[in-house]
Amino acid sequence: MKNLVLLLFLVTSFVAKSQLGGRATYQFLNLMSSPRQAAMGGKVITNYDYDPDSAIYNPANINYKMDNQLAVNYVNYLSDINYGTASYAYMWDRRTQVFHAGVTYINYGNFDGRDENGNATGNFGGNEAALSLGYAVNVPNTNFHVGANFKLITSTLAEYSSAGIALDIGTTYNFEEWDLNAAVVVRNLGTQLTPYVDTYENLPLEIDAGISQILPNVPIRWHLTFENLQLWNIAFENESRSTTDLDGNVTEEKIGFLDNVVRHTIIGIELFPRGGFNLRLGYNFRRSEELRLINQRSFAGISAGFGIKINKMRFNYAYARYNGAAASSFFGIGIDLQ
């Protein structure tokens, strides 16, 4: 059981969710789904275009432009943790019936097992995976699209295993005349079918909203995303940021209304969004606040990347900065199978 406690701690803390961490199991479900998403801050839900990866996070983005598009991504995350995603969309008939399938897989690496006395008990590891099947429809006579992903989840942590099911529900508003997209998604509505031991745990419910637009006469799409709207107070007072005056009086860090608003916010831009070469840049305010170091510039929260299209293939790369000692590279390839 000691081994499981250690691994569960790593699972719920490596994504740096502060107060959000430890509230639910299967935290990997809310990891970034692609280099494109990672480059623009981590949670872009308004990409209503050819990219099948966008439907992993918001099923309402499933559309006919994704037909026969395959995407595969890999991330060397933190330490020995590796994860990847794959997605594919298929149009059953002209512009009306598009189905989507996605896979997310994570491997936590190997750990040295010890008992309560420090004696070696052998190595152990952990991995988790989710298979999603999605579908979306256009609300008749409107610009609204509604979609859902049904997910089957499996998890193995040391000698313990668990299985679960979940549902994502999203809606996207696509106003082509203004090149404007707006979206809301509710993710991970579900339950464990079998717990690790005896206790059934909650799934990592998340509600996100976003808006994006291509600027008139300028080849830039800006993105504004508000994450974790299901929980208003996601900030925490960091004791290391307390100050002490000459009289020994301690002033604790105070988290105000605007501090919380900012920590729900992610901004991103994509240069040449419809071209064969794209540049992307993002900033995640919560990541920056939670992982920045005192009196040291670490560039936490910044991410950047690019995409290149060559014939029927797209290559994507992103770099996300967490702090001075941790960063991740995201690699992806998209293939047009038509």
Side-chain angles (χ1 to χ4, degrees):
M1 191 64 182
K2 294 273 187 182
N3 296 347
L4 179 61
V5 171
L6 172 61
L7 188 54
L8 288 176
F9 172 78
L10 291 171
V11 171
T12 56
S13 63
F14 78 85
V15 291
K17 288 191 177 289
S18 78
Q19 286 191 336
L20 300 176
R23 292 176 177 265
T25 189
Y26 306 149
Q27 290 283 357
F28 79 103
L29 295 175
N30 288 330
L31 288 172
M32 293 166 278
S33 63
S34 71
R36 188 182 182 195
Q37 188 187 55
M40 293 186 288
K43 293 182 181 177
V44 173
I45 62 173
T46 50
N47 281 330
Y48 188 86
D49 54 21
Y50 63 87
D51 187 359
D53 286 326
S54 66
I56 293 180
Y57 228 82
N58 180 8
N61 290 334
I62 299 172
N63 66 87
Y64 71 94
K65 298 176 184 177
M66 296 179 180
D67 180 38
N68 260 329
Q69 301 294 319
L70 172 67
V72 179
N73 308 289
Y74 169 78
V75 186
N76 183 2
Y77 200 46
L78 301 174
S79 185
D80 293 329
I81 300 173
N82 298 275
Y83 81 87
T85 64
S87 57
Y88 173 75
Y90 180 75
M91 183 168 61
W92 183 259
D93 55 20
R94 190 174 184 272
R95 297 199 177 194
T96 59
Q97 304 286 336
V98 181
F99 298 92
H100 181 276
V103 176
T104 301
Y105 174 82
I106 185 167
N107 186 297
Y108 297 106
N110 293 317
F111 299 84
D112 295 328
R114 303 282 175 177
D115 62 19
E116 60 272 17
N117 297 316
N119 300 314
T121 59
N123 296 334
F124 67 96
N127 57 76
E128 299 179 285
L131 170 66
S132 67
L133 300 174
Y135 179 74
V137 296
N138 177 213
V139 179
N141 303 315
T142 74
N143 294 316
F144 287 94
H145 304 261
V146 179
N149 279 334
F150 175 74
K151 294 187 286 193
L152 297 172
I153 308 160
T154 180
S155 174
T156 300
L157 306 177
E159 66 268 34
Y160 302 91
S161 61
S162 173
I165 56 174
L167 185 70
D168 301 336
I169 301 174
T171 180
T172 295
Y173 177 78
N174 174 232
F175 192 52
E176 293 185 355
E177 293 181 19
W178 292 0
D179 285 320
L180 183 143
N181 298 329
V184 176
V185 60
V186 181
R187 295 174 45 78
N188 306 321
L189 293 164
T191 184
Q192 283 185 300
L193 298 176
T194 57
Y196 293 104
V197 188
D198 298 318
T199 302
Y200 285 84
E201 302 173 75
N202 295 324
L203 270 63
L205 175 69
E206 182 170 331
I207 302 175
D208 300 326
I211 186 170
S212 68
Q213 183 184 29
I214 296 180
L215 296 175
N217 304 315
V218 180
I220 293 178
R221 177 177 286 280
W222 58 265
H223 296 265
L224 179 63
T225 306
F226 298 99
E227 63 160 337
N228 285 298
L229 298 180
Q230 79 285 351
L231 180 65
W232 166 245
N233 184 20
I234 60 173
F236 70 102
E237 296 178 358
N238 191 333
E239 294 182 359
S240 66
R241 297 176 188 173
S242 302
T243 58
T244 305
D245 61 22
L246 295 177
D247 297 324
N249 300 313
V250 178
T251 301
E252 303 288 345
E253 180 187 28
K254 298 297 181 183
I255 306 298
F257 175 83
L258 290 179
D259 291 316
N260 255 314
V261 171
V262 167
R263 291 174 200 238
H264 284 278
T265 305
I266 300 171
I267 57 176
I269 60 171
E270 188 171 22
L271 185 62
F272 309 120
R274 292 173 175 164
F277 177 73
N278 320 106
L279 288 174
R280 300 153 186 157
L281 182 66
Y283 191 76
N284 187 311
F285 287 90
R286 180 166 63 90
R287 185 189 301 162
S288 174
E289 283 298 315
E290 293 181 357
L291 298 180
R292 68 180 174 91
L293 302 177
I294 306 300
N295 299 323
Q296 182 178 337
R297 183 171 295 177
S298 63
F299 299 100
I302 293 177
S303 55
F306 63 86
I308 301 175
K309 181 181 179 181
I310 302 176
N311 295 324
K312 290 191 174 185
M313 302 184 69
R314 296 178 186 269
F315 300 91
N316 293 287
Y317 172 79
Y319 177 85
R321 185 76 169 178
Y322 304 116
N323 56 44
S328 292
S329 290
F330 299 72
F331 301 90
I333 183 171
I335 305 173
D336 184 351
L337 299 177
Q338 298 186 61

